[in-house]
């Protein structure tokens, strides 16, 4: 039944998928938080940049972004991100592309969280003499993060599935291996089912665990 | 009132769906006599110049398309009775098994794993894995020279696997979703060579915008026997298609189709393969 799996590094491919998801997840969390900070800042230029970034990046298909990193940045402009071998270059480019794309969604999720924090909190903090960054860092963001664990979990699950787009520039992750196997084994349905199951194994626990976390840390108002 | 609207709407949808499946199924019972204004659906590639390509004005060109059209004619279908359907590499077996297409001519290499699922008529072309290099390339003289060179191929293709496992394990391999990205890289020197079947390479190199820029190395690194895929156990159709292919070779149409589609690339094609003679 499952003899077609022999000779393929299934776990290795999914490990690359996990690494892509984790690195891009961390990257987009940092970048998304910065963007969210920009979008609520008192500086018009920063607000404008944040808004422009989100609306621009959110509306470009991910495939185009990922392929652009390879054809545009790497092949045309020679940006190789400090490594030589194609395998490493592609991996880093994919992380870059996924980070840039997902950050827009993280930013929006976080901004909705910021909106759940009562204005009185920020006003009180300002009255104590805290600066904008201090208000954001010490008062607003901690509460905002606690209310958006679920939306962020959604973004993370979407990101995990989006890593398959990296196959388009030759990162040897799950989707890439799936193509190879379908080409060689002529077992379309079974192979697809195996890979679908693999992704469920990755995303289902993520959703359940983060759902539980979200209940734990939610701000009771 | 609302409920009634919904019921009516769903009834309409259901009726539509039923009628759609009804007209979808009438082309599957093409009787063995063929012809008589009946339609035939054939699976091809629509994104490979020289092999099977859908032009912007909706026409189909390429060697596989010529072969498919010839076979259909021999089976008794006029050119206007043919519906071409795209069958991507991954969908080919499924499309045949479900009866979406009568047969498939889409650079479909015969191999044992595929033979377990579908039958093949032919082969009608013997292709080899080869590399395409820039016209001024002089450092790559044998497949061994590919080690430490930058190679490009399509993700998941047999050519890519061959390079990784057998031909040049040390090559720096870039995989893309399609050949066009590889050609961009080859043109602006981001990669040194593009590898896949020579027929496909010849098709690309024959395109107007690439003529004179690239050349085939002629390395014959593997044997790819292109066959016509059809439903397992349909011996009658297989016999008819084999007969059509034999006729196509003997009346010179085969040679003409090869020249027309691969000619400008300086592609030295193999002589037409004998029916049933699969070169391992």
């Amino acid at each position: 039944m499952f003899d077609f799996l022999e000779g393929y590094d299934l776990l290795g491919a999914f490990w690359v998928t996990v690494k892509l998801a984790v690195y891009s997840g961390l990257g987009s969390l940092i970048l998304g938080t910065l963007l969210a900070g920009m979008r609520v800042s008192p500086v018009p230029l920063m607000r404008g940049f944040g808004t422009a970034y989100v609306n621009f990046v959110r509306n470009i298909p991910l495939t185009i972004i990922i392929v652009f990193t390879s054809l545009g940045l790497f092949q045309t402009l020679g940006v190789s991100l400090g490594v030589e071998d194609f395998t490493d270059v592609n991996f880093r480019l994919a992380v870059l592309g996924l980070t840039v794309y997902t950050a827009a969604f993280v930013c929006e999720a976080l901004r909705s969280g910021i909106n759940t924090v009562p204005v009185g909190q920020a006003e009180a903090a300002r009255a104590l003499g805290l600066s904008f960054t201090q208000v954001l860092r010490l008062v607003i963001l901690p509460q905002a993060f606690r209310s958006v664990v679920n939306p962020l979990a959604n973004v993370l699950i979407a990101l995990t599935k989006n890593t398959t787009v990296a196959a388009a520039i030759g990162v040897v992750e799950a989707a890439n291996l799936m193509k190879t196997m379908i080409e060689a084994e002529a077992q379309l349905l079974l192979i697809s089912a195996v890979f679908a199951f693999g992704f469920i194994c990755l995303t289902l626990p993520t959703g359940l665990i983060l759902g539980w976390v979200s209940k734990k840390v939610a701000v009771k108002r | 009132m609302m409920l009634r609207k919904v019921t009516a709407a769903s009834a309409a949808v259901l009726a539509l769906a039923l009628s759609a499946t009804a007209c979808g199924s009438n082309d599957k019972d093409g009787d063995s006599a063929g012809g008589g204004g009946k339609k035939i659906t054939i699976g091809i590639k629509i994104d490979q110049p020289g092999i099977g390509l859908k032009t912007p004005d909706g026409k189909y060109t390429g060697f596989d398309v010529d072969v498919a059209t010839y076979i259909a004619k021999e089976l008794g279908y006029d050119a206007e009775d043919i519906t071409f359907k795209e069958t991507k590499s991954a969908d080919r077996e499924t499309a045949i098994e479900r009866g979406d297409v009568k047969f498939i001519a889409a650079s479909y290499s015969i191999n044992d794993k595929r033979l377990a699922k579908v039958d093949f008529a032919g082969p009608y072309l013997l292709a080899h894995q080869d590399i395409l290099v820039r016209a001024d390339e002089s450092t790559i003289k044998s497949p061994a020279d590919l080690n430490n060179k930058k190679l490009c191929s399509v993700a998941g293709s047999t050519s890519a696997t061959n390079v990784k496992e057998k031909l040049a394990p040390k090559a720096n391999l870039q995989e893309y979703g399609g050949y066009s990205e590889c050609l961009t890289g080859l043109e602006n020197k981001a990669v040194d060579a593009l590898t896949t079947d020579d027929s496909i390479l010849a098709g690309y190199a024959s395109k107007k915008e690439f003529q004179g820029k690239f050349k085939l190395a002629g390395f014959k690194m593997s044997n790819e026997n292109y066959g016509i895929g059809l439903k397992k156990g349909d011996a009658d159709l297989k016999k008819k298609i084999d007969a059509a292919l034999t006729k196509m070779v003997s009346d010179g149409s085969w040679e003409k189709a090869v020249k027309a589609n691969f000619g400008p690339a300086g592609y030295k094609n193999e002589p037409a393969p004998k029916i049933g003679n699969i070169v391992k």
Side-chain angles (χ1 to χ4, degrees):
Chain A
M1 176 82 182
F2 288 107
D3 52 341
F4 60 84
L5 292 174
E6 274 166 32
Y8 294 102
D9 190 8
L10 206 63
L11 287 176
F14 270 109
W15 180 235
V16 176
T17 295
V18 171
K19 277 199 293 191
L20 276 173
V22 168
Y23 289 145
S24 315
L26 289 173
S28 55
L29 194 62
I30 294 164
L31 186 56
T33 310
L34 280 175
L35 284 167
M38 281 181 171
R39 290 206 67 173
V40 296
S41 80
V43 186
L45 190 67
M46 277 183 154
R47 275 207 308 273
F49 175 82
T51 313
Y53 179 98
V54 167
N55 284 322
F56 184 67
V57 173
R58 199 171 50 176
N59 292 308
I60 303 176
L62 177 60
T63 314
I64 294 181
I65 293 178
I66 297 278
V67 170
F68 170 79
T69 57
S70 182
L71 289 181
L73 287 181
F74 175 50
Q75 290 203 347
T76 313
L77 301 174
V79 180
S80 63
L81 301 173
V83 275
E84 273 302 304
D85 194 60
F86 278 150
T87 318
D88 305 334
V89 176
N90 291 336
F91 181 82
R92 292 185 185 197
L93 287 169
V95 169
L96 176 72
L98 286 164
T99 300
V100 164
Y101 177 79
T102 314
F105 294 90
V106 171
C107 164
E108 288 306 273
L110 201 51
R111 207 162 58 96
S112 70
I114 289 173
N115 289 338
T116 64
V117 181
V119 183
Q121 300 263 339
E123 285 167 347
R126 291 293 287 166
L128 290 174
L130 300 181
S131 69
F132 169 74
T133 42
Q134 283 174 314
V135 173
L136 205 58
R137 206 165 38 112
L138 302 170
V139 180
I140 306 289
L141 279 184
Q143 298 183 69
F145 267 116
R146 286 169 61 180
S147 64
V148 291
V149 175
N150 257 335
L152 284 180
N154 280 343
V155 172
L156 181 59
I157 287 171
L159 168 65
T160 310
K161 292 183 294 185
N162 282 342
T163 54
T164 51
V165 177
I169 59 168
V171 179
V172 187
E173 44 67 75
N176 189 309
L177 182 72
M178 185 170 106
K179 278 189 189 146
T180 310
M181 284 174 71
I182 288 172
E183 180 77 23
E185 301 289 331
Q187 291 267 23
L188 181 66
L189 287 176
L190 271 176
I191 292 172
S192 308
V194 166
F195 279 89
F197 179 72
F199 273 98
I200 290 172
C201 288
L202 289 181
T203 52
L204 199 64
T206 310
L208 291 173
I209 291 166
L210 286 174
W212 176 80
V213 169
S214 131
K215 276 203 192 69
K216 275 278 182 219
V217 300
V219 184
K220 307 276 189 296
R221 293 194 202 282
Chain B
M1 193 66 223
M2 188 64 213
L3 187 70
R4 214 185 275 166
K5 266 190 190 154
V6 172
T7 321
S10 47
V13 168
L14 196 64
L16 266 176
L18 283 173
S19 60
T21 47
C23 58
S25 59
N26 69 356
D27 58 1
K28 288 181 194 167
D29 51 12
D31 62 309
S32 48
K38 271 208 179 311
K39 298 265 184 269
I40 183 168
T41 312
I42 303 173
I44 54 163
K45 290 270 176 78
I46 63 166
D47 53 357
Q48 292 186 352
I51 302 275
L53 184 72
K54 189 177 186 175
T55 54
D57 57 3
K59 290 197 178 63
Y60 297 94
T61 60
F63 180 70
D64 278 343
V65 175
D66 293 348
V67 171
T69 314
Y70 192 95
I71 293 170
K73 192 182 80 193
E74 290 299 306
L75 294 174
Y77 298 93
D78 290 334
E80 56 267 18
D81 296 336
I82 302 173
T83 316
F84 285 117
K85 190 170 186 301
E86 181 186 20
T87 43
K88 289 190 174 6
S89 290
D91 308 335
R92 288 180 299 207
E93 292 83 20
T94 323
I96 291 176
E97 283 170 350
R98 290 201 332 197
D100 294 350
V101 293
K102 188 95 175 153
F103 61 84
I104 284 187
S107 55
Y108 203 3
S109 297
I110 303 173
N111 71 25
D112 293 342
K113 293 223 163 97
R114 288 170 184 166
L115 274 168
K117 301 208 135 202
V118 295
D119 268 345
F120 285 97
Y124 62 93
L125 184 72
L126 176 57
H128 304 286
Q129 188 181 342
D130 197 359
I131 62 164
L132 191 72
V133 289
R134 285 182 292 276
D136 57 358
E137 179 66 60
S138 56
T139 53
I140 301 175
K141 294 189 182 60
S142 73
D145 293 339
L146 291 173
N147 284 314
N148 307 323
K149 284 267 189 264
K150 295 176 186 154
L151 261 177
C152 191
S153 192
V154 167
S157 64
T158 28
S159 326
T161 315
N162 267 348
V163 168
K164 273 186 271 195
E165 288 174 1
K166 284 184 260 189
L167 300 167
K170 287 219 255 321
N172 198 350
L173 181 69
Q174 167 71 51
E175 294 181 45
Y176 276 126
Y179 296 111
S180 310
E181 290 101 315
C182 282
L183 283 163
T184 313
L186 192 56
E187 218 171 355
N188 60 23
K189 304 199 173 167
V191 294
D192 302 317
L194 153 60
T195 179
T196 183
D197 299 0
D198 51 9
S199 52
I200 297 172
L201 293 174
Y204 274 102
S206 302
K207 276 179 84 170
K208 276 201 180 57
E209 63 263 42
F210 296 133
Q211 278 181 25
K213 284 189 183 163
F214 306 125
K215 63 179 183 196
L216 287 158
F219 282 168
K220 301 196 178 175
M221 300 186 275
S222 74
N223 294 319
E224 306 289 339
N225 299 272
Y226 288 180
I228 303 282
L230 48 107
K231 212 183 207 93
K232 194 142 189 67
D234 196 342
D236 182 51
L237 181 65
K238 180 170 166 14
K239 206 168 72 204
K240 283 207 179 85
I241 293 179
D242 281 341
L245 289 172
T246 314
K247 189 172 164 192
M248 188 173 180
V249 173
S250 63
D251 73 7
S253 320
W254 187 89
E255 194 67 31
K256 223 167 36 207
V258 170
K259 286 277 173 291
N261 292 301
F262 307 132
Y267 169 62
K268 295 174 193 52
N269 64 289
E270 297 274 348
K274 285 234 175 326
I275 297 298
N277 178 21
I278 298 165
V279 185
K280 283 275 186 259

